[in-house]
Amino acid sequence: GSTFVYYGICVRRNELIEESACFVASSLNLTINSNDTTNFQIAPRCYCFLSKFPFYQLHFEIIYNILAFDRIHKMEVEGSDLRSKYPQNYQNAINLLLNLYYESKIPNIGGELIFNQDQIELPLIQEIKFKIPQGGEDYLIAYWCISVMLRIFPLDEIIYLFNAVYLEQPLLFVCNNLGVLSSLVLAFIPMLRPLVWQGALIPILPVEMQECLQAPIPFIIGTVNLDNITRNELSGIIIIDINLSPCINTKHSVVINKIEISQLPNRKWLESKLENISNSFYNTSFKSVNNQEQLHID
């Protein structure tokens, strides 16, 4: 089997079940009578990239551009005034962009990946530039994920969780926002370097697989809720329930089932080194973490 780690980058949006995106070959597309809204059904639909490269910012920019093209295409079909300004064939343009993206060669560190309107002949798209940063996958994961952790937790709780992982205590993160949830779990990969986590690491555990939480091994797992889990099943697990707090930078701890553990050596020294960095993130403005669209890391 493949030895590569693949990163999943996903965007969810609510859409009509009867419609699919213009670039997806599907039998779902039906002729919809705009005057009859009684039978419309809306549900979340997920669009994902799988990549060996954790270029999160670039991946999201490409996905958002593709979904913007799809929205404009649908507006044209519905008779929008945009019809006179933009070309009709968005499907070919989107497929061209996807092919260009898939076939792009990754430049050396410091090089740039560039996608612009000349390549796909759509005047609407803004030029997308992504500079290959220094450092390997750990740096890229740290840049995207650790900043999320720093915005949500005060320094003392970050050190507590860091300490717990070193002692191989099982951690369970709970959050409705899948982007925040996966970032919190993946943040431990670079945080533990040069050590490598040997237990289970599952950024988003499907509800159907929650029996994994009873495994007698150390783990770092994320899940969206605890609705189908009893308190006895969570015994001995440190739970970090972000759903308990409507905002980041809350003064109330979201760490429950806290277990008394041995202190890290030189903890005070570590706190003094990290205090300024922690304050620069944790003292940012309040934002919701339970809304899928609210938390963006610049």
Side-chain angles (χ1 to χ4, degrees), residues 62 97 100 123 139 209 287 293:
I62 294 291
L97 177 58
L100 285 171
Y139 174 84
M209 297 179 62
K287 294 180 182 178
E293 304 297 334

Side-chain angles (χ1 to χ4, degrees), residues 114-150:
I114 300 176
F115 302 91
N116 55 46
Q117 62 186 32
D118 295 332
Q119 294 170 294
I120 62 170
E121 299 179 353
L122 269 184
L124 182 68
I125 188 173
Q126 295 181 350
E127 185 174 68
I128 298 173
K129 288 185 177 181
F130 181 78
K131 187 175 182 179
I132 306 301
Q134 294 185 350
E137 292 185 15
D138 291 344
Y139 174 84
L140 294 168
I141 296 172
Y143 179 81
W144 189 267
C145 298
I146 291 182
S147 54
V148 177
M149 179 171 285
L150 288 169

Side-chain angles (χ1 to χ4, degrees), residues 44 46 82 116 120 125 158 166 170 210 239 278:
C46 191
L82 290 173
N116 55 46
I120 62 170
I125 188 173
I158 292 177
Y166 263 110
Q210 286 185 339
I239 302 170
S278 174

Side-chain angles (χ1 to χ4, degrees), residues 8-195:
I9 296 87
C10 302
V11 172
R12 294 197 307 174
R13 67 175 186 176
N14 292 327
E15 297 182 354
L16 291 172
I17 294 176
E18 292 81 5
E19 288 185 329
S20 61
C22 68
F23 54 91
V24 177
S26 174
S27 59
L28 288 177
N29 285 317
L30 305 174
T31 301
I32 298 178
N33 183 355
S34 59
N35 296 320
D36 180 14
T37 61
T38 58
N39 295 320
F40 286 1
Q41 297 185 64
I42 297 176
R45 183 171 284 148
C46 191
Y47 296 90
C48 300
F49 278 167
L50 286 178
S51 174
K52 293 183 289 185
F53 305 99
F55 299 156
Y56 298 106
Q57 180 180 347
L58 176 62
H59 297 320
F60 278 120
E61 284 194 51
I62 294 291
I63 292 178
Y64 284 133
N65 270 274
I66 289 173
L67 295 180
F69 292 154
D70 177 62
R71 182 170 180 82
I72 293 172
H73 168 79
K74 289 176 179 176
M75 291 172 69
E76 287 187 345
V77 171
E78 293 169 4
S80 167
D81 290 339
L82 290 173
R83 182 175 308 189
S84 60
K85 296 181 181 180
Y86 300 108
Q88 295 284 328
N89 202 348
Y90 282 93
Q91 181 175 356
N92 289 343
I94 291 173
N95 289 333
L96 178 57
L97 177 58
L98 285 171
N99 289 332
L100 285 171
Y101 194 50
Y102 179 77
E103 296 171 0
S104 296
K105 297 186 183 301
I106 304 300
N108 295 326
I109 291 173
E112 285 188 326
L113 284 169
I114 300 176
F115 302 91
N116 55 46
Q117 62 186 32
D118 295 332
Q119 294 170 294
I120 62 170
E121 299 179 353
L122 269 184
L124 182 68
I125 188 173
Q126 295 181 350
E127 185 174 68
I128 298 173
K129 288 185 177 181
F130 181 78
K131 187 175 182 179
I132 306 301
Q134 294 185 350
E137 292 185 15
D138 291 344
Y139 174 84
L140 294 168
I141 296 172
Y143 179 81
W144 189 267
C145 298
I146 291 182
S147 54
V148 177
M149 179 171 285
L150 288 169
R151 289 193 178 188
I152 293 177
F153 299 111
L155 181 57
D156 62 326
E157 290 196 343
I158 292 177
I159 291 179
Y160 172 80
L161 297 175
F162 181 71
N163 191 5
V165 169
Y166 263 110
L167 296 175
E168 297 189 338
Q169 294 289 333
L171 299 187
L172 177 62
F173 289 88
V174 186
C175 185
N176 289 330
N177 187 307
L178 301 184
V180 171
L181 183 63
S182 58
S183 293
L184 293 174
V185 174
L186 291 173
F188 285 95
I189 295 176
M191 283 176 64
L192 290 173
R193 293 300 189 197
L195 301 180

